Amino acid sequence: MNTLSSTTFSSDCFAARYGAPLPRDLRDQAANLNWAAFLQRFGARTGPIRLGSWSAQPGPGGRTRFDATFGVGNTIHTTTATSHGPIDALTSMLYDAGFHIEILNFHQQSVSENGTHDAKIATFVLCEFDGRRAWSMAMDGDGTSSSIRAIIGAANMLHG
C-alpha cells in the first residue's frame, strides 16, 4: 500500500491551500514559505514582456497558427508562429523577440480553493537562460492561458 504521511507536505503552502502538492523541486525551494511569500517569489510577475493578445486558428497539416501581440518596454511586437501547440509557438515567439528560454520542467494540475467549486489550472514551469534557472507559477481558468502566463512569468524573471 502506498500511503503518504499527513506531515509529508506540511511545509508546502500550495498543498495547504489547494490540497495538491507542488512539484518536488519547487516544493524543496518553497519549503516553509507562507502563501504571500510564495507568490512574491514564484508567482508569474511583470517585467519587460507583457502579453497584449493571443489567438489561435487552424493551420495546414494539423498545425495551428498562433498570433500574439507583446509589449516589450515601449515597443509593441506583433508576431505569428505556426506549430503543433501553444507552448512551442510561444517559446518560438519569445526567441524571435530576443528572450531565449528553455523549459526544463512543466507541470499542470486542476485545483480549487477549499470550500469553492471554481476550478483553475495551475501551471508550474522551470525555465533556464544562460545558466540561470527560475520556477514560475500561474493560475487561470484554462490550461493554455495558465501556461502562457507561467512561461512569460519565467521569461520575465530570467530577463528582467
Side-chain angles (χ1 to χ4, degrees), residues 12-64:
D12 181 341
C13 63
F14 188 85
R17 188 175 190 95
Y18 295 105
L22 291 166
R24 183 171 305 159
D25 184 47
L26 178 56
R27 187 177 32 211
D28 292 344
Q29 292 182 38
N32 301 314
L33 292 179
N34 65 34
W35 183 243
F38 175 83
L39 288 178
Q40 175 81 25
R41 183 167 172 194
F42 301 107
R45 60 176 73 148
T46 60
I49 308 162
R50 299 171 317 280
L51 179 65
S53 66
W54 179 267
S55 64
Q57 303 167 27
R63 298 183 333 162
T64 302

Side-chain angles (χ1 to χ4, degrees), residues 116-137:
T116 70
H117 297 291
D118 296 330
K120 292 183 179 181
I121 303 297
T123 302
F124 307 92
V125 294
L126 174 62
C127 295
E128 181 177 59
F129 168 69
D130 203 20
R132 293 182 306 122
R133 293 180 176 188
W135 277 100
S136 178
M137 187 271 306

Side-chain angles (χ1 to χ4, degrees), residues 19-145:
L22 291 166
R24 183 171 305 159
D25 184 47
L26 178 56
R27 187 177 32 211
D28 292 344
Q29 292 182 38
N32 301 314
L33 292 179
N34 65 34
W35 183 243
F38 175 83
L39 288 178
Q40 175 81 25
R41 183 167 172 194
F42 301 107
R45 60 176 73 148
T46 60
I49 308 162
R50 299 171 317 280
L51 179 65
S53 66
W54 179 267
S55 64
Q57 303 167 27
R63 298 183 333 162
T64 302
R65 175 187 161 143
F66 297 93
D67 297 295
T69 303
F70 293 99
V72 179
N74 294 327
T75 306
I76 302 297
H77 295 273
T78 301
T79 184
T80 299
T82 301
S83 72
H84 290 286
I87 295 169
D88 179 46
L90 177 60
T91 56
S92 176
M93 291 172 177
L94 290 172
Y95 182 87
D96 290 346
F99 296 97
H100 307 175
I101 61 167
E102 180 179 354
I103 299 171
L104 303 176
N105 281 309
F106 180 94
H107 301 270
Q108 275 190 328
Q109 54 187 316
S110 179
V111 296
S112 59
E113 277 203 69
N114 297 332
T116 70
H117 297 291
D118 296 330
K120 292 183 179 181
I121 303 297
T123 302
F124 307 92
V125 294
L126 174 62
C127 295
E128 181 177 59
F129 168 69
D130 203 20
R132 293 182 306 122
R133 293 180 176 188
W135 277 100
S136 178
M137 187 271 306
M139 296 176 65
D140 209 305
D142 70 84
T144 298
S145 296

